[in-house]
Amino acid sequence: MNKHESMIGRNQLCLLIALALASGGALAQSTTGTIAGQVPAGLGDTVSIQSSTGLVRQVPVDSRGRYVATQLPVGSYTVTLKRGGETVQTREHVGLRVGAATDVSFSPPETTNLAGINVTASTIPPIDVTGVDSRTVVTAEQLRRLPLGYSAEAVALLAPGAADNTGGFHTATGGSLVSFGGAGANENAYYINGFNTTDPLKSEGGITLPYGSVEQEEIYTGGYSAQYGRSDGGVINMVGKRGTNEWHFGAKASWEPASSRAAATDLYYENGLPTTPGQVEQFGSLYDARSKGSYWVTTYDAYLGGPLVKDKLFFFASAEMAKEQGNTLGTVTSTAPYTSYRYEMPKWYAKVDWNISDNHILELTGASSKRNYSADNYYYDYDNYQRGDLFSPATSTKRGGSLWTAKYTGYLTDDLTLTAMYGKLKTDDYSRVPGDPGVVYIGSPDLENPDLNGGVPRYTSQTASRINDPGRGNRTTNLRVSLEYRLGDHTLTAGIDNLTAAALKQGFLSSGPGYSWTYQHTDNPGSPLNTGLGVGATADFPNGQDGYYVTQNVYYRVANVRTTERAQFIEDNWQVTDRLLLSLGLRDDQFTNYNAAAQAYIKQKNQWAPRLGFAWDVAGDSSFKVFGNVGRYFLASPLEPALSAGSSSIQTTQYFTYGGIGADGTPTDLTQMSGPVSANSNFGQLPDPKTVVSKDLKAMYQDEYILGFSKTLGSDWVYGAKATRRILRSAIDDFCDLDAIVAKAAELGITLGSNNNGCHLINAGTSNTFIVSDENGQLREVPMTRQELGFPELKRNYYALDLFMEHPFDGKWYGRFDYTFSRSYGNSEGMTQSDVQSDGPQESADWDNGAIMAWSNGDQGNDHRHQFKAFGYYQFTPEWMVSGTVRLSSGQPKVCLGLYPGNVDPAGYGSSYHYCDGQPTPPGSTGRLPWQRQIDLGLRYAPAFAAHRLAFHLDVFNLLNAQEVTNITPSYYRDSSGSPNPLYGTARVSQAPRYARFSVTYDY
C-alpha cells in the first residue's frame, strides 16, 4: 500500500464518525441534507459552505480533523477549506441528496491539485454508511430521463417491493395508490417540503407537486426515525425546487394522442349468462365493450426561478395544466352507457426563500393540485355500435386543494439548530348533479318485470342515487418544532409533531325526494331474500311468484367531524465506535377523534413507539454496510368512520313486490314485504360517544424488523440484500352484530334499550367490552371474549427478501435491478380490502360479525410473491439517450365469496362469506391471477445547436400491450337466495393498454 492509499483509508475511517453524527439532521421526510468530511491534521481550521442562494455557514474543524454541517436545504454548494481565514482548497457543485450525508473531504497538498475540484458521483462514496432506514431517492435529473407517468405514485413504484394497488383505488387528483410492504394502500403518508398533505378523510394519498417542480422524491419503505409517524406502509416525500442566484426558466409540452393508444379488451360474463329476458339474445355474453372507448391527454408545464435580491431573497414558481378528454362505453345493462368526458387538472407551486442572515432562514411554500370532471351521458345502439341522443349531463366534480407552509431554520450555534414549520391544507370534494333535484333515481331498470314495461326498461332522468353537500371538503393544520444539539459523539433531537384535521359536510344523502328505487329479481322466489333482516320469500306476497321485487332505499350521512393528532419525540444518533452508529428514538402519539356534536369518542394516549437502528461500516471505508432497524408505528384512525359511528346516519331498505310500473319507472301497486330495515341499525340517532367504540380502544399499530447490507462490487457496482418482517398487532374495525351483544347482555341480566348502536368500533380479533344503554337509559358494560364474538385472532403478517444491484451513473449509463420475494397473509389487509374494492377504513364487511370471518385467513389481496424491477438509461452521445423501466409482478390471489352451506345467509350480508358451492374458500384457495408485465421505453434527443437545452422525447408505455386482470368480481351469488352471479370472475380492474407520449422540453 502506498502513502496515498494509506492516507485515503485513514481519512475514510475517521470520516465515518462525522457522517454518522450528521445523520441526526438527515432523517425521513426531511427537506434537508448534510455535508461532512475529514481534514488532514494542520491543513485547515474552518470550512465555509456556501449555497447557490448565497447562504454561508462557517463550521469548525474539530481536534480529530472532522467537520459537520447539518440541516442544509437541498441544493448546490461550494465547500471551502480555510486556515487562518485564507482559502486552502475548494470543492464546487456539491449536490445534496435529501435525508442523506454527503462526504466532502480534503486531501494533503502532495496528493491533490489545490485548485477548485468539482465533486461528481464517482468521487462520492457509493454507500451512505449513516443510513439506518430503507428508502429510494429519485432526483429531478432521473425524472427527466426515465419514462415515468407524471405522478408521485408512478415514481414510487420504482422502490423495491412497492406495488400498484389491486383494487383500482386512486387519490383525489387521479394518482393510483401504492401498496408498501403488505400494508393497505391507504396506510401511507404524503409530504411536501416537510408538510403532511395526507388525505385526512380516508388516507387516500395526498396533495402532490407538479412533476416539473420536483427537486427530489423520497420513497420510504421502512425503518424511519422517531421524528415521524402516522404511517405503517410507506412514505412519499416530495421536495420542491427553489430559486438560486441564477435565473432559470423552462417549459414542457406533452401529448398522448388517442391514435397511439391501443384498444382496451372487452369484458364478458365469466360465470354463465344473465337471466334477464332479452339480454342474452341481444348481446350474448358481452358485458362491457371497453374497446370502443378512447381518450387523449395533453400536459403543459412552465417554471421560472431566480433572485429577487441576490444572496438574500429568491423565488421559484411553476404551473401545470393537464387535460384528458375522451369517451367510454359502459356495460350493456347501463341505461346510457356512452359517456363523453373531460378532466382538467391544474397544478401550481411557488416557493420563496429568505436568507435573513447566515444563521436564520425563512421558507414560504404554496402548492395546489386539483382535478375537475365534467361529462355527458348518451344512449347507445349496441347492435350497430353507434352513439345515440343525449340522455343527460353527468355529475360534475371538483376535487383536490391548496396548501401553504412557513418554515424557519435557526443555526443558533455551531452545535444547536432550531427548526419550526407550520402550514394549512384545504381540500374540496364537490359534486353537482344535473337536472331536477326532486326527481327520484331508478336503479337497475334492466331488472324490471318485462310483463309490466312492455320489454323496454323505464326510468327517470335522475342519474345519481346519492348526492353531497356543495361545501364538502377537508381542512388540515400541521405544526412541527424540533431542536437538534450535537454533544460529542451524540446528536440529540427532540420536538413535537402536531396535526389537526377536520372533515366538513362530508358524506352523502339520497337524491330526489330523499329515497331511491332499485329493481331486483331472484331466481329462487320460494327462498327468503334476507333471513338476517327478516325479509321473506317473494312468492309469499302478491305479484312475487316470478321473483320480481323492488326496494326503497333511504340514505343520509352528512356531518362535520375532526381529529387531533399530537406527538412528542426524542432521538439520539450515537457514534458508539468509529464503525458503529446507533440510532435510538422514542415517540409518543396521542389521537383524539370527535363526533358530529364535537364530542370526543376516541381518546388514545401513551402510545410509545420505540425505534432502534444501527449502521455498521464493516471495512471502515464505506464499501460494506450492514444495517438494521426495529420499530413500532402507530396509525391514527381517519375521519371517515366518524361519519357512521359518530353521526346520526340513516341507511334503510324497505322491500316490496309490485304490480305495475309507471311511465317514469316508479313502481305501482306495491305490497310491503318488510318495514325499513338496516343491516347496521342506522336509523338516524346520534349515539352517545361512549357507546360508539369498545372500552379502551387501542390504535392500529405495527411492529417492523429490518436487517440488510449494501456492498460495493469493484469500482462500478453496488449490490445488497434486505430482509423485512412486519406484524400487525392491533387494528380497528366495526362490529355490527347487535344480536350477539343483546344475547350476552341478557346473560348478564341486562336488557338493552331501543336506542343502541347497530355498529361499534372495536379492536379486531380480540376481546372487547361494549358500553350499551339499558332499558332505563343507564350505561352498562358488556364484556365479550374473542370466542364469544366468533372471531379468529387478528393476523396480518408480511415478510420479504429484497435483492438489488446498482450501477451509478458514470457519464455514460445508469442501471438498477431489484428482485423481491414476499408474502402478505392473514385475515385483514388493513384499512383497505382490495379484493372486494373496499377503499376506506371500516367500509368492508370484515369483522362485522363472526360468520363473515370464518375461513378468512389466507393470502391477502395485495400479495405478490415475486417482483422484478429494472430501470436505467444510456447516453449514446450528448444528443441521444435511451431509457427504460421494467416491472414484472406475479398475480395476486383470487377470492370467492358466497353463502354458507345450504345457501344460508346468517348475517344478512348476501354473497359475502368465505364459502362457494358449500365449500370453504379462504383467500387464495381458488387460484391466482396472471403475472403483470409492464415495460416502458423512452428516447430523448437534445440537439447540440440548442446547447442541449431543447429536447424531444418519445415514451412508450406498456410496450407489449399486456392487459392482465388485476381484480375480479368476488361474489359467487347475486343475492341471498343463491341466484348465481354471472359476473363472478369478470375483470373489474386490468392494466392500462399500450400508449405513446410525445414531449418537447426546454430548460435554461
Side-chain angles (χ1 to χ4, degrees):
M1 178 181 294
N2 61 37
K3 179 180 179 180
H4 175 66
E5 291 172 335
S6 176
M7 179 62 71
I8 292 176
R10 288 196 299 270
N11 284 347
Q12 289 175 326
L13 178 62
C14 296
L15 175 63
L16 174 62
I17 300 174
L19 291 177
L21 289 172
S23 66
L27 297 164
Q29 295 101 284
S30 70
T31 61
T32 61
T34 293
I35 293 177
Q38 188 70 28
V39 178
L43 190 61
D45 49 31
T46 61
V47 175
S48 173
I49 299 171
Q50 182 172 359
S51 74
S52 56
T53 63
L55 174 70
V56 177
R57 286 195 64 189
Q58 303 281 351
V59 294
V61 177
D62 66 19
S63 59
R64 286 174 286 183
R66 66 186 184 185
Y67 76 93
V68 179
T70 65
Q71 301 285 358
L72 296 173
V74 171
S76 179
Y77 288 81
T78 297
V79 183
T80 302
L81 176 65
K82 294 184 178 182
R83 182 178 181 181
E86 298 296 326
T87 297
V88 178
Q89 292 183 29
T90 299
R91 305 288 190 266
E92 297 179 343
H93 307 301
V94 176
L96 298 193
R97 180 160 291 199
V98 62
T102 299
D103 168 22
V104 182
S105 292
F106 296 90
S107 305
E110 64 269 25
T111 63
T112 186
N113 183 351
L114 298 186
I117 299 174
N118 294 343
V119 177
T120 65
S122 61
T123 63
I124 297 176
I127 298 176
D128 177 7
V129 295
T130 69
V132 301
D133 48 49
S134 300
R135 58 183 149 141
T136 299
V137 177
V138 183
T139 65
E141 188 61 31
Q142 290 174 314
L143 292 178
R144 285 193 294 267
R145 291 169 173 173
L146 290 169
L148 296 168
Y150 294 149
S151 73
E153 293 77 16
V155 178
L157 288 174
L158 297 178
D164 201 358
N165 82 89
T166 58
F169 309 140
H170 290 80
T171 70
T173 52
S176 182
L177 294 177
V178 180
S179 174
F180 296 97
N186 60 354
E187 296 172 31
N188 308 320
Y190 281 62
Y191 288 82
I192 290 179
N193 287 352
F195 177 82
N196 191 323
T197 71
T198 311
D199 163 42
L201 185 68
K202 299 173 71 172
S203 293
E204 289 186 328
I207 298 297
T208 59
L209 291 176
Y211 197 75
S213 301
V214 180
E215 179 65 29
Q216 296 182 21
E217 179 171 331
E218 195 178 28
I219 307 105
Y220 277 83
T221 54
Y224 46 88
S225 97
Q227 296 191 38
Y228 296 89
R230 306 181 186 125
S231 164
D232 64 7
V235 174
I236 295 177
N237 177 38
M238 306 185 81
V239 178
K241 295 179 179 178
R242 64 182 65 216
T244 68
N245 271 327
E246 295 182 359
W247 286 99
H248 292 277
F249 62 88
K252 174 187 68 180
S254 70
W255 302 269
E256 300 171 20
S259 59
S260 72
R261 193 176 303 273
T265 55
D266 293 337
L267 302 181
Y268 297 85
Y269 290 98
E270 297 290 338
N271 190 42
L273 297 175
T275 57
T276 306
Q279 183 173 323
V280 174
E281 290 81 358
Q282 184 177 4
F283 305 117
S285 61
L286 178 65
Y287 174 64
D288 190 344
R290 299 192 305 170
S291 62
K292 303 302 178 182
S294 65
Y295 66 95
W296 51 264
V297 180
T298 60
T299 304
Y300 301 98
D301 192 305
Y303 71 87
L304 174 67
L308 296 176
V309 178
K310 189 174 182 180
D311 292 336
K312 283 291 183 180
L313 190 62
F314 312 86
F315 90 103
F316 180 91
S318 67
E320 178 181 288
M321 172 58 80
K323 294 183 179 181
E324 177 182 324
Q325 188 169 341
N327 58 77
T328 61
L329 186 57
T331 66
V332 296
T333 59
S334 299
T335 301
Y338 188 96
T339 300
S340 177
Y341 71 90
R342 178 186 180 90
Y343 281 107
E344 292 188 349
M345 295 161 280
K347 288 185 176 184
W348 61 262
Y349 166 75
K351 191 170 191 300
V352 175
D353 294 89
W354 180 21
N355 297 337
I356 303 173
S357 70
D358 287 340
N359 295 324
H360 303 279
I361 303 173
L362 181 63
E363 304 173 46
L364 302 177
T365 299
S368 177
S369 178
K370 297 183 179 181
R371 183 176 172 90
N372 304 325
Y373 171 81
S374 60
D376 292 312
N377 295 324
Y378 293 83
Y379 295 101
Y380 194 78
D381 179 2
Y382 258 101
D383 291 330
N384 299 302
Y385 288 111
Q386 290 184 348
R387 191 187 79 178
D389 295 333
L390 176 69
F391 171 70
S392 171
T395 299
S396 59
T397 62
K398 295 181 179 180
R399 307 185 70 189
S402 304
L403 66 88
W404 69 265
T405 69
K407 179 183 178 183
Y408 164 77
T409 303
Y411 307 111
L412 306 183
T413 70
D414 290 339
D415 297 318
L416 185 63
T417 302
L418 172 68
T419 61
M421 187 276 298
Y422 179 79
K424 289 188 175 183
L425 169 66
K426 174 185 176 182
T427 60
D428 299 315
D429 191 2
Y430 170 71
S431 63
R432 183 181 64 85
V433 177
D436 188 344
V439 175
V440 70
Y441 176 80
I442 305 298
S444 301
D446 57 296
L447 295 180
E448 294 172 352
N449 188 336
D451 293 335
L452 301 178
N453 64 9
V456 179
R458 300 174 183 176
Y459 40 83
T460 66
S461 60
Q462 181 61 265
T463 60
S465 63
R466 299 177 184 178
I467 59 176
N468 59 33
D469 191 285
R472 185 172 69 167
N474 305 310
R475 305 292 184 268
T476 300
T477 62
N478 190 193
L479 170 67
R480 292 186 55 87
V481 180
S482 66
L483 192 64
E484 176 193 291
Y485 182 59
R486 294 180 56 235
L487 179 63
D489 292 334
H490 299 264
T491 298
L492 304 172
T493 307
I496 62 171
D497 177 11
N498 295 342
L499 184 147
T500 300
L504 305 180
K505 299 181 180 179
Q506 286 285 356
F508 295 88
L509 64 155
S510 295
S511 61
Y515 61 84
S516 63
W517 293 105
T518 300
Y519 287 96
Q520 301 189 54
H521 178 263
T522 175
D523 295 339
N524 301 306
S527 299
L529 288 178
N530 198 316
T531 56
L533 297 177
V535 184
T538 61
D540 295 337
F541 297 87
N543 303 311
Q545 289 73 25
D546 292 332
Y548 291 97
Y549 65 101
V550 68
T551 59
Q552 186 183 71
N553 316 293
V554 177
Y555 190 94
Y556 182 89
R557 183 179 291 173
V558 178
N560 296 338
V561 294
R562 65 185 176 92
T563 180
T564 59
E565 303 171 14
R566 303 185 183 279
Q568 304 81 42
F569 57 84
I570 186 168
E571 191 168 57
D572 178 12
N573 286 275
W574 175 25
Q575 189 65 48
V576 182
T577 71
D578 288 349
R579 300 187 183 187
L580 179 62
L581 166 72
L582 287 183
S583 177
L584 309 171
L586 184 63
R587 180 183 177 93
D588 181 22
D589 281 291
Q590 305 97 47
F591 306 140
T592 304
N593 291 67
Y594 298 87
N595 67 8
Q599 301 168 318
Y601 72 97
I602 295 178
K603 288 185 177 181
Q604 296 160 333
K605 58 183 180 179
N606 297 325
Q607 300 177 125
W608 299 101
R611 312 280 171 82
L612 171 62
F614 77 93
W616 176 30
D617 185 11
V618 179
D621 59 0
S622 302
S623 65
F624 183 15
K625 179 179 77 168
V626 176
F627 67 97
N629 202 289
V630 177
R632 174 163 291 181
Y633 301 86
F634 284 91
L635 201 61
S637 177
L639 289 169
E640 189 186 45
L643 301 180
S644 56
S647 67
S648 52
S649 60
I650 302 173
Q651 188 174 0
T652 63
T653 302
Q654 190 168 8
Y655 292 75
F656 300 87
T657 57
Y658 58 95
I661 300 175
D664 62 353
T666 55
T668 60
D669 191 14
L670 296 170
T671 301
Q672 179 176 307
M673 297 178 62
S674 73
V677 296
S678 175
N680 298 327
S681 299
N682 290 323
F683 293 105
Q685 296 176 319
L686 179 66
D688 187 308
K690 295 179 180 178
T691 69
V692 169
V693 302
S694 66
K695 186 178 180 180
D696 298 326
L697 186 74
K698 296 180 180 179
M700 183 174 180
Y701 73 93
Q702 176 175 267
D703 289 338
E704 178 184 74
Y705 311 88
I706 296 174
L707 181 64
F709 78 90
S710 299
K711 192 177 187 306
T712 58
L713 180 63
S715 60
D716 298 324
W717 290 89
V718 180
Y719 72 98
K722 181 187 68 173
T724 301
R725 176 75 162 161
R726 287 179 162 186
I727 302 174
L728 185 65
R729 302 295 189 185
S730 176
I732 298 176
D733 217 301
D734 55 344
F735 176 73
C736 301
D737 190 353
L738 183 59
D739 291 341
I741 300 176
V742 170
K744 180 58 186 291
E747 293 180 13
L748 301 175
I750 302 172
T751 302
L752 267 64
S754 59
N755 61 339
N756 280 282
N757 308 325
C759 292
H760 300 75
L761 295 179
I762 66 168
N763 286 124
T766 188
S767 300
N768 287 270
T769 297
F770 300 92
I771 309 297
V772 299
S773 176
D774 66 15
E775 57 186 344
N776 299 316
Q778 299 297 313
L779 296 183
R780 308 285 294 275
E781 292 188 5
V782 179
M784 297 185 70
T785 66
R786 175 177 63 81
Q787 292 78 9
E788 289 173 325
L789 293 168
F791 285 154
E793 292 184 359
L794 172 73
K795 181 187 292 186
R796 186 183 81 184
N797 291 340
Y798 173 84
Y799 59 81
L801 176 64
D802 295 306
L803 308 175
F804 82 91
M805 287 192 70
E806 184 174 25
H807 182 281
F809 188 60
D810 58 2
K812 196 69 174 179
W813 73 286
Y814 167 85
R816 181 177 172 108
F817 309 88
D818 291 278
Y819 166 71
T820 301
F821 170 79
S822 64
R823 189 184 178 203
S824 179
Y825 63 96
N827 49 34
S828 177
E829 186 178 293
M831 291 205 303
T832 58
Q833 188 179 356
S834 58
D835 49 17
V836 298
Q837 290 191 319
S838 171
D839 65 343
Q842 294 85 52
E843 285 193 350
S844 73
D846 279 5
W847 307 103
D848 279 15
N849 53 72
I852 287 290
M853 298 308 295
W855 298 100
S856 59
N857 184 46
D859 298 327
Q860 290 300 297
N862 57 4
D863 177 50
H864 300 274
R865 295 295 172 82
H866 306 280
Q867 290 191 65
F868 297 89
K869 296 183 180 181
F871 57 94
Y873 36 86
Y874 189 94
Q875 187 84 53
F876 283 101
T877 69
E879 290 80 23
W880 291 96
M881 171 178 283
V882 295
S883 58
T885 65
V886 177
R887 290 188 287 117
L888 307 177
S889 176
S890 59
Q892 61 272 21
K894 295 180 179 179
V895 62
C896 185
L897 300 176
L899 302 170
Y900 264 55
N903 285 348
V904 177
D905 180 6
Y909 274 55
S911 187
S912 299
Y913 308 92
H914 294 281
Y915 286 89
C916 288
D917 280 333
Q919 299 298 316
T921 54
S925 62
T926 56
R928 286 188 166 258
L929 294 173
W931 277 66
Q932 299 154 35
R933 299 163 294 156
Q934 183 77 26
I935 300 176
D936 306 329
L937 296 180
L939 177 65
R940 186 180 75 168
Y941 171 58
F945 68 78
H948 308 298
R949 294 170 177 167
L950 176 69
F952 302 89
H953 308 254
L954 169 62
D955 299 309
V956 179
F957 298 89
N958 194 2
L959 180 69
L960 302 181
N961 196 29
Q963 298 187 44
E964 302 297 350
V965 175
T966 60
N967 192 286
I968 61 173
T969 301
S971 300
Y972 194 69
Y973 301 103
R974 195 170 63 201
D975 51 38
S976 299
S977 69
S979 302
N981 181 11
L983 285 174
Y984 167 70
T986 301
R988 297 190 296 183
V989 182
S990 57
Q991 290 178 259
R994 179 182 57 240
Y995 70 97
R997 183 179 69 200
F998 305 90
S999 306
V1000 179
T1001 60
Y1002 184 82
D1003 296 281
Y1004 177 82

